[in-house]
Amino acid sequence: MQLIEFDGKALLESHGIPLLPRKLLAPDEQAEFPGDAMVKAQVLSGGRGKSGLIMKSEAHSLPQTVNAVRARLRERGEAGWVMLEQPAQITSELYIAITIDDVACAPCLLFSCAGGIEVESHPERVKRLLIDPLKGLVAWEVVQFLREAALEKEQIGPVSRFALELWRTWCAEDAELIEINPLAVTADKGLVALDAKVILDDHAEARHPHRYRLVSSQLTDRKRGESDTFVEMPGDVGLLTGGAGLGMTVVDMLADAGLRAATFVDGAGGREAAYEEKARRVLECADRPNIKGVLIYFTLAATSLAPIVRGTIKALQEHPVSKPVVVGIVAAAAAEVEMSAAEARQIFVDAGFIFRAELDEAIAELSRLIKAVDSPA
């Protein structure tokens, strides 16, 4: 889950990261702030500055500036969440981030002496330090890394301490990315995070249930819903699978069995509510006369099994259909952290649904049930 700037900064502040005073305004909340303010639209996309979604305002013109930013958000179809933040007096801008290097399969620290928009203009200046996940980020390695990155001598100590705090936060919050751009150097040589991009691992939901009450959670669900592909086709089977690759395979196997898929859902994943919504849309289609049955099938390598099961079973129970329904799930060990495949099977069986783990068996069973309905004895 990606966090809006306000939520990301609240998370960082809870771990002692230095930040400026700020306030979050709901879409219909009046603009009030003690003094001048930076008015920042709270959206999940980047490029806010170039889109006119970040403006500096004097105290007397704050309401007008907030309304101007909200007007731009409405033009984009975005919710009108806005953050007000105290302007900073800075002498230079740095860039620092911790993310995952997909090639090395390890966390890495990113740093550049040229922060702000300079990072986009000169990506070659960004240096990286791979982090041994068994040792973690080590102080002397950070110091040496910053020296090699040509950071000014008097800043090496403060930035090293900042990097170590950022690493502890990254680990404690099960983050995928924490990016501070810019990390500002103030007139008194202090450091303050002027912007924060934070992406958290959805699979760690069980350890951090509070984060899903954040504003970011609402915006993330909305964004995921818009990004899901839901296609209706002239078929006779309501189909719910995870991912386009598996979905196309199942469509072909249904055709081999003399059945045609009536729905195609390509959703990248999400939390329980996201899966519930996907299942609900398929089940609504299943109410139509031309739909003869429903197939729900997932293969999971690392995606947590629990939210899929909870969301799907909730939709099935709240939106019962009179057509045959067959469910199947195959899960690797990494997907069984919160719930085992055997537990998942039992949940569906106890609720009265037919469960077949193997895909060919699930399709064969659905075909048999449909034929039994079409040709009653």
Side-chain angles (χ1 to χ4, degrees):
M1 179 176 72
Q2 182 175 339
L3 302 188
I4 58 173
E5 182 184 354
F6 181 86
D7 287 340
K9 286 185 171 179
L11 181 147
L12 295 175
E13 191 171 52
S14 69
H15 290 274
I17 302 294
L19 296 158
L20 296 167
R22 64 203 176 281
K23 178 182 180 181
L24 181 66
L25 297 181
D28 56 352
E29 188 175 351
Q30 185 175 352
E32 294 181 356
F33 197 73
D36 298 347
M38 297 298 299
V39 181
K40 298 183 173 184
Q42 296 302 282
V43 294
L44 298 174
S45 56
R48 292 179 298 170
K50 296 178 181 178
S51 303
L53 296 177
I54 297 179
M55 299 182 181
K56 186 174 182 179
S57 174
E58 296 181 351
H60 66 86
S61 59
L62 183 59
Q64 293 82 357
T65 306
V66 169
N67 288 337
V69 172
R70 284 175 171 163
R72 291 183 180 273
L73 286 171
R74 286 193 296 270
E75 292 173 0
R76 293 160 49 112
E78 302 268 11
W81 291 93
V82 173
M83 184 181 78
L84 306 180
E85 187 173 54
Q86 177 182 303
Q89 301 298 323
I90 65 175
T91 59
S92 62
E93 295 179 336
L94 309 174
Y95 172 90
I96 191 168
I98 297 178
T99 186
I100 297 174
D101 187 311
D102 292 335
V103 176
C105 296
C108 67
L109 173 66
L110 305 177
F111 178 80
S112 174
C113 293
I117 60 174
E118 290 297 315
V119 170
E120 300 176 4
S121 304
H122 302 282
E124 72 280 358
R125 296 183 185 177
V126 178
K127 309 302 180 183
R128 65 176 54 220
L129 172 66
L130 286 178
I131 303 171
D132 185 336
L134 298 180
K135 294 193 308 179
L137 193 61
V138 181
W140 70 265
E141 291 181 339
V142 178
V143 170
Q144 181 177 336
F145 169 67
L146 294 176
R147 284 174 178 162
E148 293 173 354
L151 180 63
E152 293 181 12
K153 185 176 180 180
E154 63 270 18
Q155 293 179 350
I156 290 178
V159 175
S160 295
R161 289 189 289 272
F162 188 96
L164 292 168
E165 287 297 330
L166 205 64
W167 167 250
R168 283 189 279 269
T169 303
W170 192 87
C171 294
E173 296 293 340
D174 292 298
E176 294 180 355
L177 168 69
I178 300 181
E179 179 184 71
I180 309 299
N181 185 37
L183 173 62
V185 180
T186 60
D188 61 356
K189 303 300 181 182
L191 297 174
V192 62
L194 289 192
D195 196 2
K197 181 177 181 179
V198 178
I199 300 177
L200 305 174
D201 185 356
D202 278 336
H203 299 139
E205 175 181 357
R207 290 195 289 270
H208 309 280
H210 63 282
R211 67 175 53 158
Y212 297 100
R213 295 189 292 270
L214 301 173
V215 173
S216 300
S217 181
Q218 303 171 27
L219 299 178
T220 300
D221 284 343
R222 177 180 177 182
K223 186 176 180 181
R224 279 178 174 151
E226 293 171 348
S227 65
D228 283 349
T229 299
F230 186 91
V231 180
E232 294 185 39
M233 300 178 287
D236 46 23
V237 173
L239 176 62
L240 173 60
T241 61
L246 174 63
M248 290 187 287
T249 299
V250 178
V251 168
D252 289 341
M253 291 181 68
L254 283 171
D256 291 341
L259 300 171
R260 296 176 303 157
T263 59
F264 182 89
V265 184
D266 176 18
R271 306 194 322 277
E272 178 180 330
Y275 287 108
E276 180 185 349
E277 174 63 16
K278 295 171 191 176
R280 182 189 63 76
R281 294 181 69 181
V282 172
L283 295 174
E284 286 177 351
C285 291
D287 289 334
R288 299 171 186 172
N290 62 301
I291 304 300
K292 298 179 179 181
V294 176
L295 176 62
I296 299 172
Y297 197 87
F298 291 93
T299 59
L300 306 172
T303 301
S304 179
L305 175 61
I308 296 176
V309 173
R310 290 194 294 259
T312 304
I313 197 68
K314 187 176 180 181
L316 287 167
Q317 292 173 332
E318 293 183 355
H319 195 108
V321 295
S322 58
K323 318 292 175 61
V325 177
V326 177
V327 181
I329 298 176
V330 175
E336 297 181 296
V337 176
E338 300 176 77
M339 177 187 296
S340 69
E343 291 171 330
R345 177 186 184 281
Q346 198 59 46
I347 288 173
F348 286 107
V349 171
D350 290 347
F353 298 101
I354 296 173
F355 189 97
R356 296 289 184 270
E358 297 300 326
L359 178 55
D360 55 348
E361 294 179 4
I363 292 175
E365 181 65 16
L366 181 63
S367 178
R368 184 189 69 78
L369 293 171
I370 291 174
K371 288 178 181 178
V373 172
D374 289 341
S375 305

